[in-house]
Amino acid sequence: MTSTSYITTPIYYVNDKPHIGHAYSTLAADVLARWRRMQGKDVFFLTGTDEHGQKVEKAAADAGMDPQAFTDQVSGTFRALAQDMGYSITDFIRTTEPRHKRACQVLWEKLAANGEIYLGHYEGWYAVRDEAFYGPDELTERDGVKYAPSGAPVEWVREPSYFFRLSAWQDRLLAFYEANPDFILPSSRRNEVIAFVKSGLGDLSISRTSFTWGVKVPGDEAHVMYVWLDALTNYITAAGYPDDPEAFAKWWPAELHIVGKDILRFHAIYWPAFLMAAGIAPPKRVFAHGWWTVEGQKISKSLGNAIDPRGLVEEFGLDAVRYFLLREVPFGQDGDFSRAALVNRLNGELANALGNLANRTLSLIQRNCGGKLPAPVLFAEPKPDQGVSGLAATWWQDDWEFLSEGGHGDVPANGHLPASEAWLVKQVAALLDEQKFDAALSLIFATIREANGYITRQQPWKLKKDGFDDRAEQVLRRLHDVLRTVATILQPFMPDTMAKLLAQLGVPEAARGLEHLAEPLPAGLALPPPEPLFKKVEAAA
């Protein structure tokens, strides 16, 4: 039976147009979803839009539009972004859909039946921008205005409200975190959540009466559900809750929720408490990534410095942008976007390192091997300490260093590279299991640098000129094998460009999975003439 993987992004709030931060979250989820498919898993990849709440109601009013028409319009821009960025989504959910409203109301009724909800009234400091209440000790004050930790202004609110008995879940949440140490990543965020929970949890207001744009509370339509109870429920709605129990059993619990660090509290505290209170298993992991700044400044509407990812794609190419966003910053940390950094990655790593290696290798095969793939290579024996000397010994030592990736494994008898067919794939898989995208890319490009060093030292063009035809073909075949493996495991990051590279390497579309790397391509395979993979960009003066 094929194992499953359910991966989600946050659902994006429709009070503004999408920017680079939105693209970043979904890109990370997309890369992992594509990798899981390459591993043979049945994958469900969800994104969507969060369309209820006071902030959306106000934004619609400011635009002179009905809230539904407003959300239809803005949600469409997020769906278009998913298409433009090449995300391989399974479903795009909107919280205004009937299926979602039903899931919210069924979950509410389950919580109420379990004694987890009661009616009272709420008064406290509320940030409309965050759709969140804050305690007095969390606030700062400037010029007579109080602000939440996020920087959003807060106002004093008093109104009737239903409450979720969150205080009753403090010890159970702490026990859950202890039993599931990888539930929250990175570990620094886990420590923050645990410290917050240990500081004490109060009951949570989960309804509002001061606005109407939201899911009605079952049996009391004067109230609409707190936007976060509504929004978080999207993850189980899309998985089939409550009307398709077979699908829900297949997909839930989710393997991973990818979220921004600003909404970690809702996902790592409120969400597992809601689910466990309703008798539903929590997700397996919540990963909180950092924020992007732009040229050292936080992205904000007032500064007008939001980066449109589609503009970047038009300027630099889709796969270059995808690569840069996950290569530049360790996932989980804050990062700064600059065009200069993007140009440096594109020119230095993609064009010079990978693009040049592919072009040199494939051009040399065209010129020196009649455009035909040389035969698979067995590792040269005997070893130097058994009497081999001169050029043969030099070749043997260089092959061993290259084939074993500097000693990271034994060279197998069939001559395949441990760095590619075994060690590299295994290491990349382990890093992606922990959402260490930048580390995985760093490791792959270390292999590319090794390969560039190998071709420079071996000089297959000179070997051919000096009459060492067999040796030249051995070197080129080994480089071809490395390129095949690199292109295969880079597919989730740069799907279009790696499809082009694999085609130039003569790899059939049906043989581009991880499981095919152990199957050597046949000798004599005709290869097409190579074409450049990346276009270098002139750095701004």
Side-chain angles (χ1 to χ4, degrees), residues 22-264:
H22 304 114
Y24 185 54
S25 299
T26 314
L27 172 60
D30 180 60
V31 168
L32 189 59
R34 289 174 181 271
W35 180 259
R36 291 285 182 254
R37 293 188 190 105
M38 287 179 63
Q39 291 178 314
K41 294 190 175 185
D42 194 357
V43 174
F44 193 117
F45 172 22
L46 178 70
T47 191
T49 44
D50 178 6
E51 303 181 19
H52 289 134
Q54 187 175 3
K55 187 164 55 174
V56 172
E57 187 176 73
K58 183 179 184 302
D62 291 346
M65 299 177 69
D66 169 78
Q68 187 63 60
F70 177 81
T71 56
D72 288 347
Q73 175 179 303
V74 182
S75 179
T77 66
F78 282 90
R79 191 185 289 270
L81 176 67
Q83 295 172 343
D84 294 344
M85 294 296 290
Y87 302 140
S88 58
I89 61 173
T90 307
D91 194 5
F92 187 100
I93 191 167
R94 299 180 59 189
T95 57
T96 51
E97 294 178 50
R99 62 169 173 164
H100 179 67
K101 294 177 182 178
R102 170 163 167 71
C104 290
Q105 291 180 328
V106 170
L107 180 63
W108 181 287
E109 290 169 342
K110 184 69 172 176
L111 292 171
N114 289 349
E116 301 286 350
I117 293 175
Y118 64 91
L119 180 63
H121 77 274
Y122 186 85
E123 56 183 335
W125 295 105
Y126 184 74
V128 172
R129 195 179 81 188
D130 299 345
E131 301 281 7
F133 292 97
Y134 293 97
D137 59 332
E138 297 181 88
L139 305 180
T140 56
E141 186 171 342
R142 298 190 304 277
D143 301 324
V145 178
K146 293 185 184 297
Y147 293 90
S150 65
V154 297
E155 59 188 49
W156 188 261
V157 171
R158 177 183 171 87
E159 61 182 286
S161 178
Y162 285 94
F163 285 81
F164 172 73
R165 299 184 191 277
L166 184 63
S167 60
W169 284 89
Q170 179 172 330
D171 291 342
R172 283 177 281 187
L173 283 169
L174 291 172
F176 174 73
Y177 302 148
E178 184 175 357
N180 299 275
D182 292 332
F183 173 66
I184 303 168
L185 286 180
S187 58
S188 59
R189 303 294 174 207
R190 178 178 184 271
N191 295 337
E192 291 173 7
V193 169
I194 290 174
F196 182 86
V197 174
K198 283 183 175 179
S199 71
L201 295 177
D203 289 348
L204 180 68
S205 171
I206 56 170
S207 75
R208 301 293 305 277
T209 58
S210 56
F211 62 94
T212 61
W213 184 240
V215 179
K216 302 296 184 184
V217 168
D220 192 348
E221 295 199 352
H223 291 252
V224 295
M225 292 184 195
Y226 171 52
V227 69
W228 275 106
L229 176 59
D230 165 2
L232 291 163
T233 304
N234 91 89
Y235 302 125
I236 57 174
T237 300
Y241 183 85
D243 295 327
D244 191 343
E246 184 176 344
F248 191 60
K250 176 181 179 180
W251 296 114
W252 195 262
E255 175 188 351
L256 178 66
H257 293 330
I258 289 179
V259 302
K261 66 178 184 179
D262 53 323
I263 56 174
L264 176 60

Side-chain angles (χ1 to χ4, degrees), residues 308-489:
D308 180 358
R310 283 167 292 204
L312 290 179
V313 168
E314 291 177 6
E315 186 175 356
F316 297 105
L318 175 57
D319 282 351
V321 173
R322 287 173 61 102
Y323 174 81
F324 171 79
L325 290 177
L326 291 179
R327 178 71 177 92
E328 182 71 4
V329 180
F331 199 62
Q333 297 182 18
D334 294 342
D336 186 60
F337 174 85
S338 73
R339 279 180 165 76
L342 199 163
V343 168
N344 287 339
R345 294 285 186 191
L346 170 56
N347 290 346
E349 295 177 349
L350 297 182
N352 287 347
L354 176 55
N356 191 42
L357 175 66
N359 189 66
R360 291 170 81 191
T361 301
L362 293 173
S363 295
L364 286 167
I365 290 175
Q366 290 293 322
R367 290 197 297 269
N368 297 300
C369 308
K372 303 290 182 64
L373 182 64
V377 184
L378 297 180
F379 187 63
E381 293 284 0
K383 299 178 182 179
D385 60 6
Q386 295 175 328
V388 178
S389 60
L391 272 179
T394 301
W395 292 342
W396 188 96
Q397 188 62 39
D398 202 7
D399 287 352
W400 188 88
E401 287 291 333
F402 183 44
L403 295 174
S404 66
E405 189 65 12
H408 286 303
D410 295 329
V411 179
N414 66 2
H416 288 185
L417 303 179
S420 49
E421 276 93 36
W423 186 82
L424 182 60
V425 173
K426 182 179 179 181
Q427 294 301 313
V428 167
L431 290 167
L432 294 183
D433 282 348
E434 298 179 8
Q435 289 74 65
K436 294 180 178 178
F437 300 101
D438 69 298
L441 289 171
S442 178
L443 193 63
I444 294 166
F445 273 77
T447 296
I448 292 169
R449 287 193 298 274
E450 287 284 338
N452 273 310
Y454 182 73
I455 193 173
T456 299
R457 291 190 304 273
Q458 290 294 320
Q459 303 181 72
W461 57 92
K462 187 174 186 299
L463 289 169
K464 182 77 172 179
K465 180 181 177 181
D466 292 345
F468 297 108
D469 292 13
D470 289 347
R471 176 61 187 174
E473 291 186 2
Q474 288 178 357
V475 169
L476 292 172
R477 175 62 193 234
R478 283 170 178 150
L479 289 164
H480 183 282
D481 285 346
V482 170
L483 280 166
R484 178 192 177 188
T485 300
V486 163
T488 299
I489 59 181

Side-chain angles (χ1 to χ4, degrees), residues 231-313:
L232 291 163
T233 304
N234 91 89
Y235 302 125
I236 57 174
T237 300
Y241 183 85
D243 295 327
D244 191 343
E246 184 176 344
F248 191 60
K250 176 181 179 180
W251 296 114
W252 195 262
E255 175 188 351
L256 178 66
H257 293 330
I258 289 179
V259 302
K261 66 178 184 179
D262 53 323
I263 56 174
L264 176 60
R265 180 188 303 182
F266 307 103
H267 284 80
I269 300 174
Y270 302 166
W271 184 224
F274 292 155
L275 289 169
M276 290 190 286
I280 302 171
K284 296 176 183 177
R285 177 175 297 166
V286 177
F287 194 108
H289 65 72
W291 288 337
W292 282 92
T293 55
V294 177
E295 308 286 354
Q297 292 184 305
K298 185 177 179 180
I299 296 173
S300 73
K301 292 174 70 173
S302 60
L303 291 173
N305 64 343
I307 298 290
D308 180 358
R310 283 167 292 204
L312 290 179
V313 168

